[in-house]
């Protein structure tokens, strides 16, 4: 998981928790308000009935009270409501049959003795109810009392409906805020991460050996400081690398001259000994000197080639038919392959266009790839194939050798890399690095496909200028 995604998820989580917490607080506050409103409405029912009851008792007129009781009876939240005078006589009741009757009960006496309006839960049989009572006064004189019994289940249903409506309102408010927050989070994260991405990609390029690359981080914070330190490190490494290359070039040039002299002297001595009929041991020893000198000379040449590639290959471009170059290299390795019992061939899958390339260097590429295939293959075949498609020429060198472990393939094209799993094969580990550098200097790329025990396929592509994809 990338740092950008981690930060975006972190900030999104914070926004989600913040909005969720704020929504929870709103819902808690809304529930408290609704509960208070239910109590207020219950008290209002009791107080309004007390006002109507007072008017009826003072005027000794129960018509208005009777009509009011009928209205209260239609409310599903009210189980019972009644108006009492000081003699515990029912002046009005939601059950009309109970009007004008006496009600000398504990509840009636409690209501008549109450000094203030109140709401209290009580149980009647299996039902949980709420009873509201209030005294009826004229000035300081008590002239009666009212009782209203509420069904809390109905009020709970009202509460749930109001809370559901409140949740919908909060959801309508929260969802756009969350979406906007997520969008802003990803946008802000992208802005915050961009300097780190520049730093990471720049450090990766420097790590790949591109020491002339400089990281551009337009900030003055710790990230900017780190970028400047990377640039300073790359500059120092570049100076050291240039010093190393100068040293290698100087040493290898100095080595080539005495090696060439050793080779020439060995050739002269070998010819003279063969003419004079000297013992075969002396001739053989000079042959070994000659072979060792050749090997050392080739190594020095390879080191020089690597140094030239790293400092920038200067190509001598001419009009070249690369299939002719490939056939020439295959023909030069045919005798070596046949001595090992290998078959070697060149296949033209399609006709190839002539290209602008450095013929000598491209021959070196084919020689390195075909030479490695022949050297590391003990039985089977080596096949070189070529084709052209969509403005790209592709060459493949396939062998039936031991294959290359996946763990080694990543460093296969680096300098001095050798597969330690293959014993008895000499080499400095420079050939593939040189071949890859030459191909890339021509604008192409090189790759390998291999599995242990199933051989290997080395391929490289060369784009043809002026020929787009078909």
């Amino acid at each position: 998981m990338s740092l950008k995604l981690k930060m975006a998820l972190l900030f999104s989580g914070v926004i989600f928790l913040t909005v969720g917490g704020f929504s929870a607080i709103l819902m808690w506050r809304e529930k408290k308000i609704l509960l208070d409103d239910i109590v207020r409405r219950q008290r209002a029912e009791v107080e309004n009935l007390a006002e109507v009851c007072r008017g009826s008792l003072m005027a000794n007129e129960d018509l208005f009270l009777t009509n009011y009781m009928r209205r209260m009876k239609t409310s599903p939240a009210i189980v019972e409501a009644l108006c009492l005078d000081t003699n515990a006589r029912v002046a009005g009741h939601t059950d009309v049959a109970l009007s004008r009757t006496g009600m000398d009960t504990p509840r009636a006496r409690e209501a008549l003795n109450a000094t203030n309006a109140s709401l209290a839960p009580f149980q009647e049989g299996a039902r949980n109810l709420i009873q509201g009572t209030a005294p009826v006064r004229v000035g300081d004189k008590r002239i009666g009392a009212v009782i209203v019994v509420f069904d809390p289940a109905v009020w709970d249903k009202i509460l749930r409906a109001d809370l559901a409506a409140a949740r919908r309102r909060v959801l309508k408010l929260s969802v756009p805020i969350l979406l906007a927050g997520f969008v802003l989070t990803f946008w802000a994260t992208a802005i915050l991460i961009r300097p780190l991405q520049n730093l990471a990609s720049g450090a990766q390029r420097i790590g790949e050996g591109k020491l002339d690359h400089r990281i551009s981080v337009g900030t003055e914070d710790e990230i900017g400081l780190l970028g400047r330190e990377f640039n300073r490190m790359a500059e120092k490494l570049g100076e050291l690398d240039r010093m190393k290359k100068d040293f290698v070039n100087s040493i290898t040039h100095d080595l080539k001259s005495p090696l060439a002299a050793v080779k020439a002297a060995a050739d002269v001595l070998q010819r003279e000994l063969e003419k004079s009929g000297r013992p075969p041991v002396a001739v053989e020893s000079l042959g070994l000197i000659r072979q060792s000198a050749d090997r050392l000379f080739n190594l020095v040449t390879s080191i020089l080639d690597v140094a030239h590639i790293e400092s920038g290959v200067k190509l001598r471009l001419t009009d070249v038919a690369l299939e002719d170059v490939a056939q020439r290299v295959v023909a030069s390795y045919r005798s070596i392959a046949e001595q090992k019992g290998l078959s070697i061939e060149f296949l033209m899958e399609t006709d190839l266009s002539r290209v602008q390339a450095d013929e000598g260097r491209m021959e070196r590429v084919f020689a390195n790839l075909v030479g490695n295939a022949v050297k590391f293959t003990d039985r089977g075949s080596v096949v070189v194939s070529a084709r052209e498609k969509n403005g790209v020429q592709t060459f493949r060198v396939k062998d039936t050798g031991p294959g290359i472990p996946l763990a080694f393939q990543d460093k296969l094209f680096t300098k001095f890399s050798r597969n330690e799993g293959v014993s008895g094969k000499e080499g400095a580990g420079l050939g593939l690095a040189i071949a890859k550098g030459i191909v890339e200097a021509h604008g192409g790329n090189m790759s390998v496909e291999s599995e242990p025990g199933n051989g290997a396929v080395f391929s490289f592509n060369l784009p043809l200028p002026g020929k787009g994809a078909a």
Side-chain angles (χ1 to χ4, degrees):
M1 186 183 293
S2 65
L3 180 61
K4 179 180 178 180
L5 184 57
K6 288 180 181 178
M7 290 186 65
L9 291 176
L10 175 62
F11 292 149
S12 298
V14 171
I15 291 176
F16 181 80
L17 290 175
T18 302
V19 174
F22 184 68
S23 300
I25 293 173
L26 282 179
M27 289 303 302
W28 173 81
R29 180 63 179 167
E30 185 72 12
K31 184 176 182 180
K32 186 175 184 303
I33 291 173
L34 290 174
L35 287 172
D36 291 343
D37 184 63
I38 288 174
V39 173
R40 180 190 61 78
R41 290 164 66 182
Q42 290 173 344
R43 288 185 181 277
E45 289 284 359
V46 175
E47 291 171 358
N48 290 339
L49 179 58
E51 287 294 321
V52 174
C53 183
R54 182 178 63 176
S56 177
L57 293 176
M58 288 177 63
N60 197 22
E61 173 61 50
D62 60 356
L63 179 61
F64 183 68
L65 178 61
T66 301
N67 291 332
Y68 193 80
M69 287 295 182
R70 288 173 180 170
R71 184 196 67 78
M72 294 185 75
K73 187 176 181 179
T74 61
S75 174
I78 298 176
V79 177
E80 180 186 28
L82 61 146
C83 169
L84 298 171
D85 61 15
T86 53
N87 297 318
R89 186 178 66 89
V90 178
H93 200 290
T94 49
D95 186 354
V96 179
L98 296 178
S99 297
R100 300 299 177 180
T101 62
M103 184 175 284
D104 189 12
T105 64
R107 282 202 301 144
R109 288 194 297 272
E110 182 180 349
L112 289 170
N113 293 327
T115 57
N116 296 305
S118 65
L119 292 171
F122 80 100
Q123 192 166 4
E124 185 177 71
R127 298 178 68 186
N128 293 318
L129 302 172
I130 296 175
Q131 177 176 283
T133 60
V136 178
R137 293 189 179 95
V138 177
D140 294 333
K141 182 181 178 182
R142 183 193 301 270
I143 62 172
V146 295
I147 299 175
V148 182
V149 179
F150 300 100
D151 186 352
V154 176
W155 290 106
D156 187 59
K157 184 177 179 180
I158 295 172
L159 175 64
R160 286 198 301 270
D162 290 341
L163 285 176
R167 276 194 294 270
R168 288 192 292 270
R169 291 195 300 271
V170 171
L171 192 62
K172 288 181 180 179
L173 179 65
S174 300
V175 169
I177 292 176
L178 281 174
L179 292 177
F182 291 154
V183 172
L184 289 175
T185 292
F186 278 90
W187 175 73
T189 301
I191 293 177
L192 291 174
I193 288 295
R194 191 172 297 139
L196 285 175
Q197 290 176 329
N198 292 338
L199 183 63
S201 62
Q204 184 177 11
R205 295 191 64 181
I206 292 172
E208 291 172 351
K210 298 178 177 63
L211 300 179
D212 57 343
H213 179 73
R214 293 296 178 266
I215 300 172
S216 176
V217 182
T219 60
E220 297 298 327
D221 54 12
E222 289 81 358
I223 297 177
L225 176 61
L226 188 58
R228 289 190 292 273
E229 290 300 322
F230 265 109
N231 290 336
R232 189 175 294 111
M233 177 188 68
E235 186 176 351
K236 294 293 183 182
L237 288 175
E239 292 177 2
L240 293 174
D241 190 58
R242 285 190 292 273
M243 291 173 62
K244 179 205 69 176
K245 290 176 182 177
D246 293 341
F247 175 76
V248 170
N249 284 333
S250 177
I251 291 297
T252 49
H253 277 295
D254 290 342
L255 285 175
K256 287 189 74 172
S257 297
L259 280 173
V262 170
K263 287 174 58 178
D267 287 340
V268 172
L269 283 174
Q270 190 172 13
R271 287 195 297 270
E272 292 298 326
L273 288 174
E274 289 173 350
K275 289 178 182 179
S276 62
R278 295 290 182 177
V281 175
V283 177
E284 184 179 349
S285 298
L286 277 174
L288 292 175
I289 293 174
R290 180 69 167 78
Q291 291 176 5
S292 299
D294 285 340
R295 190 177 300 118
L296 188 56
F297 191 85
N298 290 335
L299 175 60
V300 172
T301 301
S302 296
I303 294 174
L304 274 175
D305 286 342
V306 170
H308 291 157
I309 289 172
E310 288 180 342
S311 60
V313 180
K314 295 180 181 179
L315 302 176
R316 297 178 181 178
L317 300 178
T318 58
D319 192 40
V320 181
L322 289 180
E323 65 269 26
D324 294 340
V325 178
Q327 287 176 336
R328 188 163 62 243
V329 171
V330 169
S332 67
Y333 278 94
R334 181 163 281 113
S335 61
I336 300 174
E338 290 175 351
Q339 289 175 8
K340 298 182 66 175
L342 304 174
S343 65
I344 183 170
E345 59 179 330
F346 175 74
L347 300 177
M348 282 274 289
E349 298 180 7
T350 59
D351 293 333
L352 301 183
S353 307
R354 297 179 69 86
V355 299
Q356 291 292 309
D358 188 323
E359 184 172 356
R361 292 189 181 276
M362 290 308 301
E363 185 170 349
R364 181 73 182 275
V365 172
F366 283 112
N368 285 345
L369 296 180
V370 176
N372 279 348
V374 172
K375 179 170 65 174
F376 288 99
T377 304
D378 294 328
R379 60 178 181 274
S381 63
V382 174
V383 178
V384 181
S385 60
R387 69 171 182 172
E388 183 175 320
K389 184 179 180 181
N390 297 335
V392 176
Q393 287 187 3
T394 302
F395 294 88
R396 303 169 80 241
V397 179
K398 181 179 180 181
D399 62 56
T400 57
I404 304 168
L406 183 62
F408 182 72
Q409 292 179 22
D410 292 338
K411 55 184 179 181
L412 192 61
F413 296 103
T414 58
K415 296 176 292 185
F416 303 106
S417 61
R418 299 181 61 186
N419 187 357
E420 301 298 334
V422 180
S423 60
K425 308 297 183 181
E426 297 180 353
L430 294 173
L432 291 177
I434 293 171
K436 187 174 187 292
I438 293 173
V439 169
E440 290 179 347
H442 282 81
N445 59 79
M446 182 175 289
S447 61
V448 62
E449 299 174 19
S450 180
E451 292 181 3
N454 293 324
V457 179
F458 286 87
S459 60
F460 65 89
N461 302 320
L462 290 180
L464 302 178
K467 293 192 176 184

